[in-house]
Amino acid sequence: MLLLDWLYVGVFAVVGLGMAALPLAIVWALAPRAPYPQKRLTYESGVVPFGQAWAQFNVRYYLFGLVFVIFDVEVIYLYPWAIVFQRLGKFAFVEMLIFLVILLLGLAYAWRKGALEWA
Amino acid sequence: MGELAAFIILSAITLVSAVVVVTSRNIVRSALSLVPTFFGVTGLYILLQAEFVAGIQVLIYAGAITVLILFVIMLTEGGTGLRVRQTNEQVPLSILAAAVVAVLLIGVLAQTPWPRATESLPQYTASGIGEALLTNLVLVFEVTSLVLLVALMGAIIVARRER
Amino acid sequence: MNWGLEIAKAVGLAVVMFTFLAVVGAMFGVLLERKIGGWIQSRLGPKHVGPQGLLQTIADTVKLLQKEHITPRAADVAIFNTAPLIVAVAGLMDWIVIPFGPTLIVRDLNIGVVFFAAMASLTVVGILVGGFASNNKYSLLGGLRSASQMISYELPLAMALVAVAMQAGTLSTLGIVNAQAQRGWFVFLQFPAFVIFLIAATAEVNRVPFDLPEAESELVAGYFSEYTGMRFALFQLGEYAEMFAMAAMATTLFLGGWRGPLLPPVIWFLLKMYLIVFFLMWTRWTFPRLRLDQLLNLSWKLLLPAGLIWILITGFFITFF
């Protein structure tokens, strides 16, 4: 039954959170607490940190995320197709072929335009 | 009875997280709050017997879109986002506007004669969706791929102009 | 439908299962990794604590439980503490759809395979946010790079899952194992999907050869850098739980799950799962790590097109024969 299935999912999530937080609570109770400024400095391989904690980030991270979202949405269409195409005959296969070709075109475009380059 | 309780809990989760998203001063906390909001919506989809859509909601929204939003935050704020304060300059005016819209919406919703489903909901299973996509809605399906293609190309063009 | 009773049953099952996973999966898994690493590198792994070092991880856990929680000065404390929880919970939730036996599955969700992919996606959020909240250049870079890597490999992972779903005609994990009863193990029918799945799984859990974002010699410890003590352990727990989940999923999808003669189903399942785990650990101690751009190229320019083409080939064969 659907609701019951997902009730289990919900309960597991809550219990998981609780059980994961439990060691943290134990540490909070047991561990020593002796914070002094030097200990809490940002780690920078032993030298005193300088400057802001950011660097000039390229747009490449965003491009990867973007192409990923587009293809993730495409994969969503693949899942239901995968389980029904067998009984819907040849036309279903052709439909998906068209769909995938259009998206492969997109991938090729991204490739050509350098959106997939890290450098 | 159980369904009502579930509905209330899920709505509460969704609404509270959504309020945190909108009002939080810390932009990263704001973005993180989207995750419980999406989970709340997932639960609501389950209550509507739409299992596949619920799975997709987690996969795409909580998994991909949240990541994308976080990327964008880190690119624009670059780490100082922790100290950027989200302040709203025109609070009284916005409260007024929001109240007007709320009254209008609630009025319309209350007065519409919604058809009541008397029998249980159909199961929107993955196979049902698949069959619909490939038979009745095949044109929509193909056009979707074109929309995705255009979105991809457009975003790449816009993003790469910054080089 | 007595909701209270169902909730109580669910809570009990969750506690049992997570304890089992934490002990057998994470603790034993870490020990296994160190022993196997030692064996491959011609040295002994941990040997002192307990017989043959079996209690090593327990000793480590006790140690970690009393380590001081150091929070970096400028970190966002709430998010800093939530990030390991997200990673740990996502890794544990994957196990809801893993079938240990014909009826030994927490819940056989109709969309089992999609749920698995969704939980794998959630880990990325935790890692990204953990790297960000540390307010440390190395952590931030590590988090961003790790997130980029993980999202890039989610697509080939999904391709492999789709190919298996096509072969089995269902998204439910139980259904997929049962389908292998008639058609034979999918590792033979869907060998390319198996390869793609294993490579993508290794990258998803940030293991060598794909562990650049957390490599000690590269970015200190990447997004881990500022995490000490138990919070670090929670990240590790999430990653190991996810690794075992990927191995378990690989046995379910490709090696026929619990099926096998003579021995009880659970034993077969565990044997096959540990076989894959051993294989993953073997690769870890054997290969050098890939550079980030090599890694990303491998995913986008090789695995993704290969996955799509394999899906088309599978579809072709299923439709026309």
Side-chain angles (χ1 to χ4, degrees):
Chain A
M1 184 193 148
L2 196 62
L3 275 181
L4 190 59
D5 280 348
W6 287 82
L7 176 70
Y8 267 73
V9 172
V11 169
F12 265 63
V14 172
V15 172
L17 264 175
M19 287 183 75
L22 182 65
L24 292 185
I26 295 180
V27 172
W28 182 79
L30 286 183
R33 228 162 308 173
Y36 50 86
Q38 280 72 25
K39 200 193 279 191
R40 304 185 68 204
L41 278 180
T42 316
Y43 181 72
E44 201 152 320
S45 303
V47 292
V48 176
F50 67 99
Q52 297 284 23
W54 58 277
Q56 195 66 41
F57 288 118
N58 266 325
V59 76
R60 64 194 177 201
Y61 292 101
Y62 173 70
L63 279 174
F64 273 104
L66 183 88
V67 183
F68 165 63
V69 169
I70 301 277
F71 278 90
D72 217 11
V73 173
E74 176 217 337
V75 165
I76 280 181
Y77 285 96
L78 279 174
Y79 282 118
W81 171 77
I83 57 179
V84 297
F85 82 106
Q86 210 162 340
R87 57 172 185 262
L88 289 179
K90 303 182 173 24
F91 196 54
F93 178 68
V94 172
E95 286 163 5
M96 183 50 82
L97 185 64
I98 300 174
F99 187 84
L100 283 180
V101 162
I102 294 180
L103 277 146
L104 273 170
L105 278 177
L107 182 64
Y109 177 83
W111 192 330
R112 274 298 307 269
K113 286 292 173 182
L116 303 177
E117 296 303 322
W118 186 255
Chain B
M1 179 52 222
E3 289 200 24
L4 184 61
F7 178 71
I8 291 177
I9 295 176
L10 288 167
S11 311
I13 294 175
T14 314
L15 290 173
V16 168
S17 316
V19 167
V20 173
V21 170
V22 174
T23 58
S24 171
R25 294 264 168 85
N26 179 334
I27 196 168
V28 175
R29 211 173 284 194
S30 201
L32 250 194
S33 231
L34 279 174
V35 176
T37 317
F38 292 145
F39 277 122
V41 175
T42 308
L44 291 172
Y45 281 138
I46 297 292
L47 286 178
L48 291 172
Q49 302 284 329
E51 186 175 32
F52 183 64
V53 182
I56 285 177
Q57 172 81 7
V58 183
L59 184 63
I60 293 288
Y61 272 101
I65 302 235
T66 314
V67 170
L68 193 64
I69 289 179
L70 284 169
F71 272 4
V72 170
I73 290 176
M74 292 178 196
L75 280 179
T76 51
E77 304 293 334
T80 61
L82 294 174
R83 288 182 279 276
V84 167
R85 290 170 63 83
Q86 307 281 293
T87 52
N88 191 348
E89 307 284 321
Q90 299 168 310
V91 173
L93 204 57
S94 53
I95 289 183
L96 182 63
V100 167
V101 172
V103 163
L104 279 175
L105 275 178
I106 294 177
V108 168
L109 285 173
Q111 299 205 341
T112 313
W114 299 103
R116 286 270 180 107
T118 44
E119 66 286 319
S120 58
L121 290 166
Q123 287 239 330
Y124 300 104
T125 55
S127 38
I129 293 178
E131 284 196 33
L133 274 179
L134 292 173
T135 49
N136 309 337
L137 303 172
V138 61
L139 200 57
V140 175
F141 178 59
E142 300 296 342
V143 170
T144 310
S145 71
L146 284 173
V147 171
L148 286 172
L149 179 66
V150 169
L152 181 62
M153 294 173 75
I156 289 179
I157 291 175
V158 168
R160 280 185 54 82
R161 197 168 288 179
E162 260 90 272
R163 274 184 154 253
Chain C
M1 175 61 52
N2 187 345
W3 293 106
L5 182 63
E6 294 295 336
I7 292 181
K9 279 201 293 190
V11 169
L13 186 59
V15 170
V16 165
M17 184 136 190
F18 288 156
T19 315
F20 172 74
L21 277 177
V23 171
V24 172
M27 288 192 185
F28 186 58
V30 171
L31 181 67
L32 196 64
E33 175 118 54
R34 293 166 76 170
K35 284 295 219 183
I36 289 178
W39 177 50
I40 289 180
Q41 293 178 341
S42 294
R43 57 176 171 86
L44 304 168
K47 277 196 79 74
H48 291 296
V49 186
Q52 292 299 316
L54 277 175
L55 298 179
Q56 177 68 44
T57 325
I58 298 184
D60 281 337
T61 311
V62 171
K63 175 199 78 171
L64 282 171
L65 277 174
Q66 8 154 13
K67 279 226 176 244
E68 179 182 348
H69 260 169
I70 304 176
T71 311
R73 184 186 44 193
D76 181 332
V77 179
I79 302 181
F80 190 72
N81 282 313
T82 337
L85 290 178
I86 297 179
V87 174
V89 170
L92 291 174
M93 294 275 281
D94 262 335
W95 287 89
I96 294 180
V97 288
I98 306 280
F100 289 89
T103 51
L104 288 175
I105 182 174
V106 176
R107 290 315 284 197
D108 181 25
L109 298 177
N110 288 333
I111 54 160
V113 152
V114 175
F115 181 79
F116 184 81
M119 291 299 122
S121 300
L122 267 187
T123 328
V124 187
V125 177
I127 286 178
L128 194 54
V129 160
F132 186 84
S134 308
N135 200 34
N136 173 346
K137 290 190 201 58
Y138 294 113
S139 302
L140 186 46
L141 273 174
L144 277 169
R145 290 163 77 143
S146 191
S148 304
Q149 170 190 319
M150 289 173 85
I151 63 176
S152 300
Y153 277 91
E154 267 175 45
L155 292 171
L157 193 76
M159 298 291 150
L161 293 174
V162 166
V164 170
M166 286 167 74
Q167 193 74 52
T170 172
L171 290 174
S172 131
T173 44
L174 268 186
I176 291 177
V177 178
N178 287 328
Q180 291 184 68
Q182 293 124 8
R183 308 294 310 271
W185 290 2
F186 287 160
V187 66
F188 304 114
L189 278 173
Q190 293 273 330
F191 188 70
F194 180 58
V195 170
I196 293 177
F197 185 86
L198 279 185
I199 298 177
T202 318
E204 273 295 307
V205 292
N206 283 329
R207 288 181 68 84
V208 180
F210 303 108
D211 75 338
L212 189 71
E214 60 182 58
E216 294 84 21
S217 46
E218 302 286 337
L219 281 174
V220 188
Y223 56 88
F224 282 150
S225 306
E226 295 287 356
Y227 280 94
T228 54
M230 210 60 211
R231 286 182 283 210
F232 169 74
L234 276 180
F235 268 123
Q236 291 290 50
L237 167 70
E239 288 202 1
Y240 270 87
E242 181 124 13
M243 174 184 80
F244 273 85
M246 290 285 174
M249 198 47 137
T251 47
T252 310
L253 296 175
F254 297 102
L255 295 183
W258 68 78
R259 307 191 58 83
L262 295 179
L263 298 170
V266 183
I267 305 286
W268 269 118
F269 183 82
L270 289 174
L271 267 177
K272 294 179 198 174
M273 183 180 86
Y274 274 104
L275 184 70
I276 305 253
V277 169
F278 173 71
F279 181 74
L280 288 176
M281 293 185 174
W282 185 10
T283 28
R284 180 216 170 128
W285 293 105
T286 313
F287 287 103
R289 63 174 61 97
L290 289 182
R291 239 174 28 229
L292 194 62
D293 60 312
Q294 292 172 325
L295 202 152
L296 291 171
N297 282 340
L298 177 65
S299 163
W300 289 100
K301 299 184 181 173
L302 183 64
L303 290 183
L304 181 60
L308 284 171
I309 293 176
W310 177 247
I311 287 179
L312 285 175
I313 294 179
T314 311
F316 180 77
F317 275 109
I318 293 184
T319 318
F320 292 100
F321 295 107

